[in-house]
Amino acid sequence: MTLTFLIIILLLLSALQVRLPALPGLGVHLEFIPALVAYSALTLSRPGIFAFALAAGLTQDALSAGPFGVSALVYVILALLLHRFRGALDRDLPVLQIGAGLLVALVAGIVGSGVAGFPAGTTLKLFYLSLLSAFITPVLFFALDYLRYQWRPA
């Protein structure tokens, strides 16, 4: 799967993320970008990871009210950290995928909230958002691996 294809998926899922309503009762929107960053970190090569995490972070910053570049920095650091330990991790385990998605979503949320300030109720919403992103991650891994398998060169 090429970097270009992942960036197209990023833009499509970002548009979907914006259009989906907040989940009733939780008050949070589904976020696909942390799951995509986790997928890229465990799939692409180092230059591809850097480029994709930067694009994902800038896309996330464009969709949020926080300062521009904060999510990009966090996503690049976390993606390179996950890539560093990729040899010791089995990317096909759903538990690892959930953990990677949770790590990316939680750290990015904490840093983003820390920069913008922690209003009341943010901690609980951040927890819900991180859990949702964590459980979306294996679904994205499955779908993107399926597409990668179907569209591989013959």
Side-chain angles (χ1 to χ4, degrees):
M1 180 170 305
T2 65
L3 176 62
T4 306
F5 181 73
L6 265 181
I7 289 179
I8 291 169
I9 296 292
L10 168 69
L11 295 175
L12 289 173
L13 286 179
S14 297
L16 178 65
Q17 178 177 314
V18 169
R19 296 296 301 158
L20 287 175
L23 294 175
L26 298 178
V28 295
H29 294 272
L30 291 176
E31 286 202 7
F32 299 106
I33 297 176
L36 283 171
V37 171
Y39 179 83
S40 72
L42 296 173
T43 305
L44 298 176
S45 63
R46 185 179 298 259
I49 290 168
F50 182 80
F52 183 79
L54 185 64
L58 292 175
T59 303
Q60 181 70 35
D61 287 335
L63 299 176
S64 68
F68 207 69
V70 173
S71 296
L73 180 65
V74 172
Y75 284 162
V76 167
I77 290 171
L78 289 174
L80 290 175
L81 181 69
L82 282 172
H83 177 72
R84 172 93 169 116
F85 294 108
R86 182 168 66 177
L89 304 172
D90 184 5
R91 72 175 295 282
D92 293 329
L93 290 175
V95 174
L96 175 86
Q97 297 166 358
I98 290 171
L102 181 68
L103 173 75
V104 173
L106 190 61
V107 172
I110 289 172
V111 171
S113 296
V115 169
F118 279 101
T122 300
T123 307
L124 191 57
K125 284 187 178 184
L126 180 62
F127 176 72
Y128 290 147
L129 182 64
S130 299
L131 281 179
L132 284 171
S133 293
F135 286 107
I136 287 171
T137 306
V139 175
L140 277 176
F141 265 75
F142 177 76
L144 293 174
D145 281 345
Y146 177 78
L147 289 175
R148 188 174 67 164
Y149 176 75
Q150 289 297 319
W151 292 343
R152 72 182 189 278

